[in-house]
Amino acid sequence: MTVHLHPLANGLSTDHPVPGLPFVDDSHIPLADGPEAIEAVGRNKGEGMWGRYDRARVSGGWLAFTTDPRDHSLGWSVRYHPEHGRTVLLMRDKDTSTLHSTWDGEQLLFRAGGYWFDGTTWYRPGQVWDPVEQEYEKRRARAAVTVSAADMLDRRADAARAALLDVTDIDAEAPAPVVENWADHLAMWAAGRQDLDGALPLKRCVVDLATPELTGAQLIGVPEMAELGGITASTLRSYISRGNSEVPQPQALVGGRDQWARAVADDWVEARQRSYDGVRAVMSAGDRDQLSRGAAEVRDHFAGSFQRTLWGRPDVRKRWVLRQRNETSVQEIADALAWEVANSLDRIMPAHDLGFVLQGAVLHDFAEAIDLDRQVQVLPTKALQPSKWTHLWLSRQTAAMLDWFIRHHPESAHHRIGEITREAHSHWEIPAEDTLRTLRQAVGQDGKLSPEDSEAFFSLLTPPEEND
């Protein structure tokens, strides 16, 4: 799920000003002294203050944030790249850590409601989740062109008409201020950079992007957006008012109304289709109960079975007569229905198939444990050399499922554990007692089987010679 962040102002020292936002004096923050100094402004300096810096793992440079020392409801977020310069933003203090985490990836800049720049290419807001890569798909903005500060400067702009704000002029609880004569403010910012040593050239200072996706003809409002998503306009407005972050940020505000790029809206529709709700809808049985197809099959089976039990059997049907209807009769009927469910477990969870899958899961966990054990064996310190199979283990999820299998399908579990023991010995020469001990310990730690039942069950798996 994406998070919507809204900066309140540009720091005067930024290399990449956000269009429309005012510039705020950031001279009381030691930006030139590096990330450690920025962190130190707020870290452990008082209640309601914090700071942090990290090296950027993906794209290089560093990132830092700190609570503003003069107004603890505000914070400064700084992203520095050795080639692309730095971004300095004034944020709500509660948003700085979230932006910090986002900047740790490839994203250097955000514009137009989530479009982002990695230093070379512009991408649309990340919405469509890739379950294989475990991240949002990177979808390039079509024919995108970077707009620099040099491109934006207007000869008619007058820096004298702009005003540099103080941090005390910004209200963290109010919406971000919008500057109407922003060209004048950009001119003021550019003029102040002339005397700075090592300042990034204006032609390399990124201000915005231009792409056919953001032209007026490609923008749509709430009604069109809702129609694409298969919901009503009122439902979409409700989502927006509640701050539902699954709805992408609008790319523009036209006449006081939110507008989205059609490309962004299409991605949103695709993301909805791939979401849990979308998957549920695709696999729905399409009936009154909104069940999945498999669940509906289980319901239909038991509905027919219960019908035969309650009405098809004369000895049960007579209990519907008023004089026969008492607590004992109801309990007997309930017991009959419960027996029908318990006797149909294999229809709900096929024992043969589940056993095969569990066998693969257990052997996979064993393989990982053995690989790790072999890595330890090559260490030079003798104290770290355990006995050959001491460190076999199962993941918590595998152990819990094995416990369920033993409790619900003991005969099938007995057979399958025998197969596991045989395979473990065949592949890795693991003694049967080590395999069984590992499984028993795992079930005891992460399962519901009582110690007595566990001992009784696993004793039936111990090779005959071990029982002598």
Side-chain angles (χ1 to χ4, degrees):
M1 182 178 295
T2 57
V3 178
H4 300 171
L5 298 174
H6 304 280
L8 299 175
N10 295 297
L12 185 63
S13 300
T14 191
D15 289 324
H16 308 293
V18 178
L21 294 184
F23 291 88
V24 172
D25 186 359
D26 54 22
S27 60
H28 61 299
I29 304 299
L31 299 170
D33 296 335
E36 297 93 338
I38 297 172
E39 174 191 83
V41 171
R43 193 176 186 90
N44 298 321
K45 290 301 174 65
E47 184 176 356
M49 297 188 68
W50 193 244
R52 175 170 177 162
Y53 84 90
D54 289 283
R55 301 295 175 184
R57 295 175 296 175
V58 177
S59 53
W62 52 263
L63 46 150
F65 70 88
T66 182
T67 304
D68 186 89
R70 295 162 59 187
D71 186 340
H72 296 177
S73 66
L74 299 171
W76 294 92
S77 292
V78 185
R79 175 68 169 90
Y80 172 77
H81 189 280
E83 178 183 355
H84 300 290
R86 68 184 174 191
T87 296
V88 183
L89 295 174
L90 184 64
M91 308 285 296
R92 295 175 179 84
D93 189 57
K94 63 182 181 181
D95 291 338
T96 53
S97 62
T98 305
L99 179 57
H100 189 83
S101 299
T102 304
W103 265 341
D104 196 30
E106 298 177 88
Q107 300 92 332
L108 297 179
L109 304 170
F110 295 92
R111 295 292 186 270
Y115 278 77
W116 59 276
F117 185 59
D118 66 357
T120 304
T121 306
W122 286 96
Y123 298 91
R124 294 200 293 273
Q127 297 187 84
V128 180
W129 185 254
D130 184 338
V132 176
E133 298 295 332
Q134 287 294 293
E135 61 182 18
Y136 290 106
E137 290 186 7
K138 295 168 56 178
R139 300 190 168 183
R140 294 189 177 193
R142 183 161 49 91
V145 176
T146 300
V147 180
S148 71
D151 298 326
M152 291 282 288
L153 284 174
D154 189 339
R155 293 182 179 180
R156 296 168 296 178
D158 185 356
R161 293 196 296 261
L164 177 64
L165 301 184
D166 187 83
V167 71
T168 57
D169 296 322
I170 303 297
D171 182 359
E173 301 303 320
V178 179
V179 179
E180 298 296 338
N181 59 325
W182 196 72
D184 297 334
H185 288 251
L186 183 66
M188 175 194 68
W189 165 82
R193 298 173 59 84
Q194 294 178 359
D195 299 328
L196 296 178
D197 293 334
L200 203 65
L202 293 178
K203 64 181 180 181
R204 293 178 55 198
C205 293
V206 178
V207 176
D208 211 345
L209 80 154
T211 166
E213 296 180 8
L214 296 175
T215 59
Q218 293 298 315
L219 296 178
I220 62 175
V222 167
E224 299 88 348
M225 180 86 163
E227 183 178 0
L228 286 174
I231 58 178
T232 65
S234 60
T235 298
L236 179 56
R237 292 189 181 97
S238 177
Y239 288 167
I240 296 170
S241 66
R242 295 200 306 265
N244 186 329
S245 59
E246 292 181 358
V247 179
Q249 295 183 66
Q251 276 60 66
L253 190 67
V254 179
R257 298 175 182 270
D258 291 335
Q259 300 281 296
W260 289 266
R262 176 60 188 260
V264 173
D266 288 339
D267 287 349
W268 173 65
V269 172
E270 183 177 347
R272 282 173 57 83
Q273 293 170 343
R274 294 194 186 188
S275 69
Y276 288 153
D277 290 341
V279 172
R280 187 182 302 114
V282 168
M283 296 305 296
S284 170
D287 61 8
R288 65 188 184 283
D289 296 323
Q290 298 182 339
L291 295 173
S292 66
R293 295 173 186 175
E297 290 173 2
V298 171
R299 178 204 59 199
D300 293 344
H301 166 76
F302 285 111
S305 176
F306 292 168
Q307 168 71 12
R308 290 189 295 272
T309 299
L310 296 173
W311 194 254
R313 289 172 49 184
D315 61 317
V316 176
R317 187 171 62 210
K318 69 181 182 180
R319 298 180 186 275
W320 297 115
V321 178
L322 186 59
R323 66 176 181 274
Q324 296 282 351
R325 200 180 309 164
N326 52 53
E327 184 177 356
T328 301
S329 296
V330 171
Q331 183 62 56
E332 290 175 354
I333 294 173
D335 289 344
L337 298 179
W339 179 89
E340 179 66 27
V341 174
N343 195 48
S344 302
L345 275 179
D346 196 59
R347 177 178 290 274
I348 300 173
M349 183 73 77
H352 176 76
D353 297 338
L354 175 60
F356 185 83
V357 171
L358 265 174
Q359 179 178 334
V362 170
L363 294 175
H364 176 270
D365 285 352
F366 277 14
E368 285 197 342
I370 291 168
D371 286 344
L372 179 60
D373 193 68
R374 287 172 177 169
Q375 293 174 26
V376 172
Q377 292 292 339
V378 301
L379 294 175
T381 305
K382 292 184 178 180
L384 293 178
Q385 295 181 354
S387 60
K388 191 171 183 181
W389 306 116
T390 299
H391 296 289
L392 287 176
W393 46 261
L394 292 187
S395 65
R396 181 184 61 81
Q397 295 84 354
T398 302
M401 203 64 229
L402 180 62
D403 169 82
W404 187 95
F405 194 43
I406 293 171
R407 287 186 292 110
H408 290 80
H409 297 287
E411 314 96 284
S412 296
H414 182 277
H415 167 73
R416 193 56 59 180
I417 291 175
E419 287 291 304
I420 291 170
T421 304
R422 183 181 64 81
E423 289 287 332
H425 185 268
S426 174
H427 283 96
W428 302 293
E429 299 182 359
I430 302 175
E433 58 268 24
D434 285 349
T435 295
L436 295 175
R437 181 178 65 250
T438 299
L439 299 183
R440 181 175 176 179
Q441 289 175 346
V443 167
Q445 181 175 351
D446 296 308
K448 299 179 180 179
L449 203 63
S450 70
E452 296 78 16
D453 288 344
S454 178
E455 180 178 358
F457 177 80
F458 279 96
S459 69
L460 299 176
L461 285 157
T462 304
E465 61 272 18
E466 297 297 329
N467 281 326
D468 294 338

